[in-house]
Amino acid sequence: MEKVEKKLREEAKKLLADKKVDVIVGYEAGTLPLTATPVFITTPEEADKLVWNPFCQHNLAKYVHDLISAHKESQKRLKPDDRKRKVVGVVTKGCTSRSLVIHLQERQYERLDISILGVPCTGYADRRKLAAKLGGEDILEGTLEGANLKIKTASGEKTVALKDVLAGNCVTCRFNNPVISDMMLGEPAPAMNPAAEYAEIDEFEKLSPEERWAYFEKEMAKCIRCAACRQACPSCYCKVCFAEQSMPQWVGISEDPSDTQVFQFMRMYHMVGRCVDCGSCVSVCPMGVDLRKFLKKLDKDCFVLFNQRAGEKVDFPAPLQDQRMDDKEEFIYSPGGGH
Amino acid sequence: MSHHDKPAGKKSEGWEPKIVAIVCNWCTYAGADLAGISRIQYPPNVRIIRVPCTGRINPFYVVKALQAGADGVLVSGCHPGECHYISGNLSARRKFATLKSFLNYIGIEDGRTTFTWVSASEGERFAQVIKGVTERVKALGPATKLVKNLRDAAVAVAK
Ligand code: SF4
Ligand code: SF4
Ligand code: SF4
């Protein structure tokens, strides 16, 4: 990990010094112990701020989209000949790379607009799991020592194994190494446990519709509709989200539970073939809504129905951009028989 | 399912389901027309919304219909390979396969949403579909999930 970080800084410096990129989106140490936060580096001198560790949680593809679309918008005022390309370098783990692929599939920008600094990923620490291990005590100091976190709280020193607090999406991650990159900053990381990726979904499917509805209702009742989940999601880049449209007004803003349920249901449904299970939405949710229980189902269906996983292949249309004459259609009703 | 906490006016006794049918102009709507012209009887529970193509249907229409209190939603278009716009129904099929599965997953009863194909020459099939869908929805009783009940809630508070 330190090796990757060292290499990352070196390469970032080179890219910036050679003017190969205009900005690098990466992670720097957060203000609290054992955290990392997104950072935008524009000069070689700043490149030493970059870190790579198990606290690098956010899917940075979000910022890549933001930066490039803002830049393109600003260029509209110029004559076509005077327009310049802005190249965004991005520190890219597996999930981030798949979000970039989705942006490319959806023609949000060109491959030449981005420079992908691939990092092998072994997962990030889930703040909630960590807080639970510490009984909710504040972390006063913390360091990463090999596979363990050494933490100081008001009640003393504690050691927490990193593997015990890895985020759920990391534990079963199938693409922890980037699916595309311009350079790899280290040897590929060992596989996680993708065989179990749908275990939770399979369990949930076994419940009765009433039990599933009760769970959905309960989780959605927690949601305060702050839309942080959407803001954090790299696949939610619409200029005007349906949630804010007023003609037509797709979702009401009343306190009727159905308004929140419908907002969430459609926000999630928009992720068919577009959710890379990066966990960014889950990690930013202030209310701890179990979004993954639902989002992962979409991923499973996409695989079962269309044999595709979100952002897996760059030269291939996204699942809902594509169609086949022989797509499965067991769900189609036939009167007086079948279904 | 229980029928006890149903909003007023939706008592299961004498209750008739409201079903929204969103159909494409070229096949299913013409099929419905044919059923009418041929005087084939089918239950009067459907309200038909005509759209150019199933590919044009925003999945949100289905969810909005449920929220607005439809007891069932039917979407029907041209058979695969017969789309007036070549492949609109194939795009729709992918959208609705995932939509229906996701609705079922959160606990919406399977019979609430129905997707099918009816061609312009299938007046008989149209009637069969409407009959079948109405029976399915009747068996489930009035819809309660995802339904917006503000007015009823306001009445409860006032009491
Ligand atoms: S929905 Fe959540 S997990 Fe999926 S891509 Fe968006 S932020 Fe990541
Ligand atoms: S929820 Fe849907 S409409 Fe809103 S930003 Fe996300 S993808 Fe766009
Ligand atoms: S971040 Fe959480 S509380 Fe906020 S809108 Fe999303 S699910 Fe709801």
Side-chain angles (χ1 to χ4, degrees), chain A residues 200-202 204-205 208-210 212-214 216 242 249-256 258-259 261-266 268-270 272 292-295 297-298 301-302 305-306 308 318-329 331-336 339, chain B residues 1 58-61 63-64 67 74 79-82 87-88 90-110 113-117 124-136 144-151 153:
Chain A
E200 206 183 314
I201 305 308
D202 298 341
F204 194 71
E205 284 171 344
S208 72
E210 297 310 315
R212 277 180 272 140
W213 173 255
F216 179 74
F242 76 80
Q249 187 185 40
W250 291 107
V251 281
I253 49 170
S254 79
E255 49 175 47
D256 187 280
S258 75
D259 279 339
Q261 290 161 0
V262 166
F263 160 65
Q264 282 292 347
F265 182 85
M266 288 312 289
M268 293 192 286
Y269 179 73
H270 282 184
V272 175
R292 185 163 185 258
K293 179 83 89 234
F294 303 101
L295 288 163
K297 164 67 175 168
L298 299 174
D301 277 356
C302 241
L305 292 166
F306 316 129
Q308 276 195 59
L320 289 197
Q321 292 173 334
D322 200 10
Q323 74 254 335
R324 298 289 144 94
M325 197 51 205
D326 60 353
D327 276 336
K328 296 197 177 98
E329 61 161 46
F331 75 108
I332 295 290
Y333 174 72
S334 69
H339 195 72
Chain B
M1 66 177 277
N58 186 332
F60 221 131
Y61 294 178
V63 176
K64 279 301 261 187
Q67 192 190 13
L74 165 70
H79 288 271
E82 296 174 9
S87 61
L90 299 184
S91 303
R93 183 165 59 181
R94 285 202 166 191
K95 280 191 249 177
F96 293 130
T98 45
L99 179 72
K100 183 169 174 67
S101 171
F102 197 36
L103 281 167
N104 288 7
Y105 185 77
I106 67 161
I108 304 296
E109 304 87 344
D110 186 60
T113 53
T114 304
F115 300 90
T116 194
W117 321 119
E124 184 58 46
R125 180 175 160 100
F126 181 80
Q128 290 304 321
V129 165
I130 301 301
K131 232 176 107 206
V133 168
T134 308
E135 274 163 19
R136 264 155 50 115
T144 54
K145 297 165 185 166
L146 285 183
V147 180
K148 192 157 177 171
N149 272 327
L150 260 196
R151 205 199 40 169

Side-chain angles (χ1 to χ4, degrees), chain A residues 69-192:
Chain A
S69 40
H71 175 72
K72 288 204 166 145
E73 204 54 42
S74 74
Q75 295 287 299
K76 280 188 184 160
R77 273 171 255 151
L78 303 176
K79 290 195 199 109
D81 289 348
D82 296 338
R83 290 183 192 159
K84 285 202 183 71
R85 190 189 289 280
K86 171 170 183 158
V87 181
V88 177
V90 53
V91 177
T92 302
K93 47 187 174 158
C95 47
T96 309
S97 75
R98 288 163 68 214
S99 290
L100 297 172
V101 167
I102 291 172
H103 291 162
L104 293 169
Q105 284 174 327
E106 295 177 353
R107 310 218 191 296
Q108 293 302 303
Y109 44 75
E110 290 164 43
R111 182 66 180 84
L112 293 175
D113 291 330
I114 54 175
S115 176
I116 304 174
L117 295 103
V119 284
C121 183
T122 47
Y124 61 77
D126 179 325
R127 302 296 298 171
R128 282 197 181 83
K129 282 191 186 170
L130 186 54
K133 284 259 179 239
L134 302 173
E137 281 189 286
D138 281 343
I139 301 171
L140 302 177
E141 275 169 45
T143 47
L144 176 69
E145 283 174 24
N148 290 313
L149 302 171
K150 298 264 189 247
I151 295 169
K152 213 162 123 195
T153 67
S155 67
E157 307 239 351
K158 288 179 188 165
T159 303
V160 176
L162 188 56
K163 70 170 179 16
D164 293 340
V165 292
L166 278 191
N169 52 309
C170 297
V171 173
T172 63
C173 177
R174 180 176 294 274
F175 303 95
N176 52 326
N177 291 296
V179 295
I180 49 167
S181 66
D182 290 308
M183 62 176 81
M184 273 304 292
L185 307 171
E187 292 302 309
M192 309 298 275

Side-chain angles (χ1 to χ4, degrees), chain A residues 188-233:
Chain A
M192 309 298 275
N193 181 22
E197 69 181 328
Y198 302 130
E200 206 183 314
I201 305 308
D202 298 341
E203 280 309 303
F204 194 71
E205 284 171 344
K206 286 187 199 138
L207 301 176
S208 72
E210 297 310 315
E211 288 169 308
R212 277 180 272 140
W213 173 255
Y215 190 76
F216 179 74
E217 219 178 9
K218 171 174 86 64
E219 287 304 305
M220 295 311 135
K222 293 184 202 164
C223 171
I224 55 171
R225 286 181 68 176
C226 64
C229 47
R230 178 195 66 189
Q231 294 311 105
C233 175

